[in-house]
Amino acid sequence: HEPWSATGALHMAEELAELVRAREIDALVVEVDLVHEEVFEARPLRAVGCCRAEPINVDLDAATEHGVPVVFAPGRNARSVADLTVAFILNLARGIVPMHARLTSGGFDPADLGSLIAALGAARGFELGSATVGLLGLGAVGRETAARLRGFGCRLIAYDPHVADSVFEAHGVGRVDLDALFERSDVLSLHAAVTPQTRKIVSAAGIASMKDGALLVNTARHQLVDADALLDALRTGKLGGAGLDVFAAEPPLPSDPFLALDNVVCTPHIGGATRDVVRHQTRMVASDLDRILRGEAPARCANPEVLG
């Protein structure tokens, strides 16, 4: 039992294999440690639990070859990421962060009423109920985001070719194609996985087709966006602002150009950084490991072909 929160150590496959062998481990639970061929060869495992939405740090081919079921925690952080997404949208819609910075830096002169009125006019935002919010992806996070935004009265549209019409209808979201998503969204929020098809899906052409002054929120992955095109659109005012939780380097370097823009709100990939996510993933992985150890089928298995 070596929780990462206590040790701060990421185990590479070779040293994890040594731990598995030395401690005669039967079931292994990890979050970011690398579970590769060496681990499966070190000792016969009954199961591996990965506390992630996708077990990307586990060699599934090796696990399957050795007959080891891998359980994981899909949707573990969907609620937390959706909360942060809405926080970004509200911040951008009302200019909360720049107004806070101006207040705390002494940027308002109470004696200069004209300057104050001009500044407040420049900060004038909009109600979410007056906006069309577009979701790029209607998976677990996209659906949780839609559920939150419905309470504001937004018009919700989404592009996701992998989701059935019934899911759109159940969540009060209109299905649109990708071009319409760019063209109609006052706020575009990204909730897709990175695949060869989605890499830079928010392209220069897509950004150019968006409404002048539209907002973009990315709590998914940096690779979904043409970063140069986004940076140019934010600098020129084509886009009114962005909320970014993901960057090319994480945490972003101080020289990252997005950090220098006053119309960008940034956080260092904290979308899933809540205590609730720990509870969610623990419950899902522990319950599935219990099922396996009792000879039952787990609910969330990444390689179900090894079961039975």
Side-chain angles (χ1 to χ4, degrees):
H1 177 63
E2 292 188 356
W4 182 88
S5 58
T7 66
L10 164 63
H11 294 302
M12 305 304 287
E14 296 84 356
E15 63 178 312
L16 188 58
E18 287 299 321
L19 287 172
V20 166
R21 184 183 299 110
R23 300 185 184 186
E24 299 183 346
I25 290 171
D26 295 312
L28 179 64
V29 179
V30 299
E31 183 170 0
V32 294
D33 305 288
L34 302 183
V35 187
H36 292 173
E37 178 69 30
E38 299 92 329
V39 177
F40 295 106
E41 291 180 346
R43 177 177 168 81
L45 294 171
R46 294 186 64 182
V48 169
C50 182
C51 297
R52 298 180 65 87
E54 292 288 345
I56 58 174
N57 52 313
V58 180
D59 185 335
L60 287 180
D61 290 337
T64 302
E65 182 181 344
H66 287 267
V68 181
V70 177
V71 298
F72 62 115
R76 64 172 186 147
N77 62 1
R79 295 177 180 178
S80 292
V81 177
D83 287 351
L84 182 64
T85 298
V86 175
F88 272 136
I89 295 172
L90 287 169
N91 267 284
L92 293 166
R94 300 305 305 273
I96 295 172
V97 169
M99 286 296 100
H100 171 83
R102 185 158 182 175
L103 278 172
T104 56
S105 66
F108 288 111
D109 181 358
D112 188 351
L113 184 58
S115 175
L116 177 62
I117 292 173
L120 295 179
R124 186 172 291 122
F126 60 89
E127 297 176 356
L128 295 193
S130 69
T132 295
V133 178
L135 307 174
L136 179 58
L138 200 59
V141 180
R143 294 193 294 269
E144 289 288 349
T145 301
R148 285 152 178 73
L149 290 173
R150 280 201 306 272
F152 290 95
C154 307
R155 292 177 295 277
L156 294 170
I157 59 176
Y159 170 75
D160 194 326
H162 307 293
V163 171
D165 287 342
S166 58
V167 176
F168 281 79
E169 294 165 4
H171 290 83
V173 179
R175 183 191 282 277
V176 297
D177 62 25
L178 187 60
D179 289 341
L181 185 77
F182 289 128
E183 294 165 3
R184 292 174 52 187
S185 297
D186 297 302
V187 181
L188 176 61
S189 188
L190 312 185
H191 303 291
V194 177
T195 68
Q197 292 72 36
T198 62
R199 192 175 295 273
K200 292 191 178 181
I201 191 172
V202 182
S203 62
I207 292 172
S209 70
M210 293 177 69
K211 297 178 182 180
D212 292 344
L215 307 174
L216 182 140
V217 173
N218 190 0
T219 55
R221 288 292 183 267
H222 170 81
Q223 296 93 327
L224 297 173
V225 182
D226 183 326
D228 292 337
L230 176 59
L231 187 64
D232 182 65
L234 290 167
R235 284 172 169 167
T236 62
K238 166 63 183 175
L239 294 184
L244 304 177
D245 189 43
V246 288
F247 298 87
E250 295 185 344
L253 301 172
S255 58
D256 191 303
F258 286 103
L259 302 183
L261 300 180
D262 59 11
N263 58 348
V264 176
V265 180
C266 300
T267 50
H269 206 151
I270 63 167
T274 66
R275 56 180 176 268
D276 305 275
V277 168
V278 177
R279 287 202 300 270
H280 298 326
Q281 67 192 29
T282 300
R283 184 185 68 253
M284 287 189 278
V285 169
S287 64
D288 272 341
L289 288 176
D290 182 59
R291 289 187 181 98
I292 290 171
L293 296 177
R294 287 190 283 112
E296 301 174 5
R300 295 159 290 266
C301 186
N303 55 343
E305 59 269 33
V306 305
L307 301 175

